[in-house]
Amino acid sequence: MAAALTDHYLEQHGYEVITADDPSEEEILKLAPDAAGVMMISQPLSNAIYDQMPNLKVLARRGVGYDNIDVDFAAQKGVWVTNTPGANARAVAEAALMDILVLARQIPQTRVKTRQDGWVAAHELLGHEVGDATVGIVGFGHVGQLLAKMLTGLGARVLIYDRHPRTTDEGTFVDWDDLFRQSNYVSLHLAAVPDTIHSVGAHEFGLMPDGAGLVNLARGSIVDEPALIAALRDNTLGGAALDVFEQEPLPADNPLWTLPNVMVTPHIGANTLEANRTMSLTAARMIDEVLTGKQPEYAVNAPVLG
C-alpha cells in the first residue's frame, strides 16, 4: 500500500516511476541509470554511483539514518540527500517498549526453558515489572521522547543521556556512566556517526546492574558486538533484544542466534503500515521539492550546486 501511495503521489506530480524489486545499486543502475531521484531504504550505495547516474539530483532516504550513504561525497557531486525524521518514531518507540517488556519477563529464557525442561519447569523463571524498574534511554530524539512518555505512563523511572540535555517532565538527564550504572534496561537510540561507533561495549556492560538488559533498535555498529556476546555468555548482561546488527542480514553462524538470553528480530522496528506510509510519502515529497528547484525540508547535506 505504501508503494502504491508513493507511486501515485509522484505520478500525480508528473514523474515516471520505476520500481526495483531488489533495490540494490546494481539493480538501480540496470533499471534507471538516467533517474533524477532515487528513493532508498537501507541498502548501501557506493560513491561510484554518481558518475554512472549523470542526471541524479536527490537520494531520498525512507527513514532516519543515512549511514549507508557518504553524504559529503554526494554533496560534492551536487546531489541532495534527504531523510524522514520522526516519520517512524512511534513505530520504533513501540517496538522498543515491546523489547523492554520481553526482557523484563524473560521471554527468550522462558521459551528455551519450556522447550528443554517442560511447561511446569518454565514457571521457575520469574520476570519483573517495568513499572518498578529504571530504564535508561540513550539518545533523546523523536523516538527517545516517545519512549520516555510510554515508560513514564507505566510508572518506570526514566534516565536519559543526550549530547544536548534539557528540561523534560519525562525523565532525568544523567551522564553516560551513570545511566548505565543505574539502569535495569538500556534502550539505544543514537545515530551511527564516528563518535558513536562501538561506543557501547565492555565498559558499559560492566557498569550495568545484575540481570540488566540491552535493547538496540538504532544501528548495530553502535555496539561492540564481540563484547556484547561475551557479556551475554557470562551473564554480565541478563539479556538483549536486538533489531539491528553490524552485518545485516545477521549471518547464520553468529552466536546471537543461539544465546538463550537474546531475542533477535530482522531490522523491523519501523515495519508498520502507518510508518511505511508516512516515510514513503515524506521521501516522495523530498524528491519533488528538489526536482522543482526548492531546498528540501529534510536535507542532511548541502550540495555544491553548479
Side-chain angles (χ1 to χ4, degrees), residues 154-177:
L154 289 175
R157 175 182 178 232
V158 176
L159 302 180
I160 305 160
Y161 172 84
D162 194 271
R163 289 178 298 173
H164 306 290
R166 53 198 181 277
T167 302
T168 177
D169 294 331
E170 310 300 341
T172 303
F173 280 84
V174 295
D175 68 25
W176 180 269
D177 279 5

Side-chain angles (χ1 to χ4, degrees), residues 227-287:
L228 173 63
I229 291 169
L232 290 163
R233 279 176 165 161
D234 67 15
N235 291 315
T236 299
L237 271 182
L242 308 169
D243 189 51
V244 291
F245 307 91
E246 190 137 25
Q247 182 180 346
E248 295 182 1
L250 186 65
D253 61 352
N254 191 297
L256 292 170
W257 283 115
T258 57
L259 289 173
N261 50 354
V262 175
M263 184 176 79
V264 168
T265 50
H267 205 148
I268 56 168
N271 200 19
T272 67
L273 176 64
E274 295 83 0
N276 273 268
R277 181 173 56 217
T278 304
M279 288 188 293
S280 295
L281 289 173
T282 303
R285 180 164 61 87
M286 294 304 98
I287 290 173

Side-chain angles (χ1 to χ4, degrees), residues 93-107:
E94 289 182 0
L97 177 60
M98 174 190 71
D99 284 349
I100 292 166
L101 292 167
V102 162
L103 293 182
R105 297 301 295 266
Q106 298 195 74
I107 299 301

